[in-house]
Amino acid sequence: MRFTSLEIPDVLLIEPKIFEDERGLVFESYRENLIEEKIGRKISFVQENICVSKKGFVRGLHYQTYPMEQDKLVRVTRGEVFDVVVDLRKHLPTFGQYITQVLSSKNRKQLFIPFGFAHGFLTLSDEVEFSYKLSNYYSPENQHCLLWSDPQLAIPWPYDFKTIKASIRDQQGHFFDHTDLVTSKID
């Protein structure tokens, strides 16, 4: 596995080493000891979610707050997405910055997203199957949604805003300048 720190160093791009021959291919999609070594702490994923979405839908930007914040390991198992991660850690100079990556079943890239970030994606292919490994359980009372189209963030979504579809919940996400939510115990 190759680990690359992105523009916000705590977010890691993970690219597997692929072994291919006449039978097909094999690769490690998860190896706890390597991830722990790279992030410098123990991690335990307690829940995995699979999401299937149609083309042109945005999901997110979601996050959970203290005491139920979540580290995430995300990847696409079928299709392609434009993935977005927004830093919500008020105490760091990267607060408010975002990272975008194209993740697909062809490139097999993954993102490790530590707690304190909002995450979402836009589906680029006809159908997408998206996998999330989570370090904490889903908690409706701690779940929040940042508005994906917030002009203050100015995320360069690859489709015209008028053509992007979203659930009612995602359409009603809060603006970035909403400051009364504590994202982690270190805020």
Side-chain angles (χ1 to χ4, degrees), residues 8-157:
I8 302 172
D10 297 328
V11 178
L12 297 175
L13 180 66
I14 303 170
E15 297 173 88
K17 185 173 183 180
I18 298 171
F19 300 93
E20 197 166 1
D21 63 21
E22 66 277 355
R23 299 170 295 170
L25 61 85
V26 66
F27 63 94
E28 289 181 347
S29 65
Y30 176 67
R31 181 124 175 222
E32 186 174 87
N33 66 326
L34 294 179
I35 292 175
E36 287 179 347
E37 180 181 309
K38 192 65 180 172
I39 65 174
R41 63 181 167 90
K42 294 295 261 173
I43 189 160
S44 175
F45 292 112
V46 298
Q47 181 175 330
E48 182 173 18
N49 295 344
I50 302 293
C51 169
V52 176
S53 298
K54 295 178 182 172
K55 187 174 185 173
F57 276 88
V58 70
R59 289 194 181 246
L61 304 161
H62 302 147
Y63 63 98
Q64 284 194 182
T65 52
Y66 178 79
M68 299 301 290
E69 65 270 87
Q70 298 171 317
D71 294 311
K72 296 178 181 179
L73 182 63
V74 302
R75 71 185 182 113
V76 172
T77 55
R78 185 174 67 241
E80 182 177 57
V81 303
F82 179 80
D83 202 86
V84 178
V85 179
V86 179
D87 194 341
L88 301 179
R89 302 169 304 168
K90 296 175 190 172
H91 64 287
L92 293 177
T94 52
F95 175 65
Q97 293 179 21
Y98 61 83
I99 291 173
T100 65
Q101 280 288 314
V102 173
L103 304 179
S104 73
S105 54
K106 287 184 181 177
N107 69 25
R108 295 181 174 83
K109 294 178 181 179
Q110 300 181 69
L111 285 178
F112 172 77
I113 306 162
F115 63 81
F117 286 81
H119 171 259
F121 63 87
L122 173 66
T123 54
L124 301 176
S125 56
D126 289 339
E127 188 172 84
V128 167
E129 185 174 279
F130 197 90
S131 169
Y132 301 77
K133 283 185 179 6
L134 305 167
S135 66
N136 215 337
Y137 298 105
Y138 174 69
S139 172
E141 53 277 350
N142 296 92
Q143 177 72 230
H144 301 280
C145 183
L146 183 64
L147 185 62
W148 62 272
S149 59
D150 187 337
Q152 183 178 352
L153 293 173
I155 296 167
W157 298 98

